[in-house]
Amino acid sequence: MLAMVPMIQSGCGLNFGLPLGIIAGLLGACISLELDVTGMFGFGVAILISIPFALLFGWLYAQILNRVKGSEMMIATYVGFFAVAMMCLGWMLLPFKSPYMIWGYGGEGLRTTVSVEAHWMHVLNDFLSIRIGERFFFPTGMFLFLAMMCAAVHFFMRTKSGAAMAAVGTNPDFARAAGVSVDKMRTLSVMMSTVIGAIGILVYEQSFGFIQLYMAPFYMAFPAVAAILLGGASIRKAGLANVIIGTLLFQGVVTMTPSVINSLIESDMSEVLRIIVSNGMILYALTRKEIVKR
């Protein structure tokens, strides 16, 4: 969700093109596995490799959005869908050779799910982690990394460029009169959002221990959009508080509701209920933006 903040602040709206950043992160992860680097160094290599891809994808994405001002969210959705579909071909055709990733029966193309267990699984989670008994585990390193990313975004928004970006989002005509390049600030925000999305998917992968390719990133933008709106953000203004509150609300409801309803109806429908609750919250959040706008 942190990737939503720069684009919302610059007036580009909700980042439905988040799959572009996710694809950049997946490319960084796959190349890291291909190089067979492990541990924290391997995770760092994945981040460093993903950033140039994210900057390139973000710049191209921004050129499209700068030409469709006022319809960014609709166009961004299809940009994300197009990129995911195109990369389905890429995952089959790119010349990866690592036995950890390619299909065993053909020796070509990447598997749908690739494990990172032998490389950099839990490198952040286990850093300074706290474990009490068998049931309590606190992934200190992951939260420290999240705090570092939040701090970086916070301090950037307080810089001259960050203030110019916020001015463009609030009143582009005033910003233009003050000498601010509207298109340049919008491009910067989109590139930032794409880079944060790439890094975010890598954090997800090290935590869960696998990489999901092909159509997996297709709808990943929607829960992030729903969560940040539920956290109190609007399509024109968002902050770190909205990110944190939205994450707690969205994940809390999605996690707890199936368990509660299963207990009431005495039946195991957790997956069905999870889908109903998750998509219901997304529907509520996406319609709520109109209420906020008025």
Side-chain angles (χ1 to χ4, degrees):
M1 282 198 300
L2 187 62
M4 297 286 161
V5 174
M7 283 186 59
I8 292 175
Q9 289 289 81
S10 70
C12 289
L14 301 163
N15 185 10
F16 285 99
L18 187 62
L20 283 171
I22 293 172
I23 288 170
L26 295 176
L27 282 168
C30 289
I31 295 174
S32 173
L33 296 186
E34 181 74 13
L35 296 174
D36 202 22
V37 286
T38 60
M40 190 66 75
F41 177 71
F43 180 71
V45 167
I47 291 177
L48 291 176
I49 293 174
S50 68
I51 289 175
F53 286 112
L55 291 173
L56 175 61
F57 296 163
W59 183 83
L60 294 172
Y61 179 27
Q63 304 316 301
I64 296 173
L65 295 186
N66 284 340
R67 286 168 171 76
V68 292
K69 292 184 178 72
S71 302
E72 291 95 341
M73 288 186 286
M74 181 180 67
I75 300 301
T77 302
Y78 290 102
V79 169
F81 288 173
F82 171 79
V84 173
M86 284 296 294
M87 279 308 297
C88 286
L89 296 176
W91 301 128
M92 288 297 298
L93 299 176
L94 289 173
F96 289 104
K97 299 298 181 183
S98 172
Y100 292 103
M101 298 189 293
I102 60 174
W103 290 105
Y105 58 82
E108 294 181 356
L110 298 180
R111 301 174 187 174
T112 305
T113 303
V114 179
S115 173
V116 299
E117 184 176 0
H119 290 82
W120 32 267
M121 180 178 174
H122 292 170
V123 291
L124 288 181
N125 291 24
D126 292 340
F127 180 71
L128 301 177
S129 62
I130 300 172
R131 182 181 294 276
I132 302 176
E134 296 182 358
R135 295 184 178 274
F136 181 82
F137 176 79
F138 186 79
T140 309
M142 188 180 69
F143 281 99
L144 289 175
F145 188 84
L146 172 62
M148 182 183 70
M149 293 295 296
C150 289
V153 172
H154 174 74
F155 287 118
F156 173 81
M157 297 308 299
R158 291 179 174 270
T159 63
K160 183 178 179 180
S161 296
M165 187 183 294
V168 168
T170 303
N171 191 328
D173 293 330
F174 174 80
R176 190 179 294 108
V180 177
S181 173
V182 173
D183 285 355
K184 182 179 178 180
M185 288 297 106
R186 284 165 58 94
T187 300
L188 177 61
S189 72
V190 174
M191 293 172 71
M192 281 185 59
S193 181
T194 309
V195 169
I196 295 171
I199 296 174
I201 195 64
L202 290 171
V203 174
Y204 174 93
E205 290 162 2
Q206 68 81 34
S207 182
F208 283 84
F210 54 82
I211 301 169
Q212 288 184 295
L213 304 175
Y214 297 96
M215 298 302 290
F218 203 70
Y219 293 112
M220 281 189 175
F222 289 87
V225 169
I228 197 166
L229 289 174
L230 287 174
S234 69
I235 60 173
R236 293 292 181 185
K237 187 174 180 61
L240 299 181
N242 303 129
V243 172
I244 296 170
I245 294 171
T247 300
L248 294 175
L249 286 175
F250 187 83
Q251 294 297 335
V253 172
V254 168
T255 302
M256 296 295 294
T257 303
S259 300
V260 173
I261 297 180
N262 279 341
S263 300
L264 292 175
I265 64 177
E266 297 182 353
S267 176
D268 185 11
M269 299 181 63
S270 58
E271 183 61 20
V272 174
L273 293 171
R274 186 194 66 79
I275 294 172
I276 292 172
V277 172
S278 177
N279 288 297
M281 292 174 68
I282 292 171
L283 177 63
Y284 164 75
L286 293 179
T287 54
R288 180 182 175 276
K289 72 180 179 64
E290 299 297 333
I291 299 174
V292 173
K293 188 175 180 180
R294 289 199 297 268

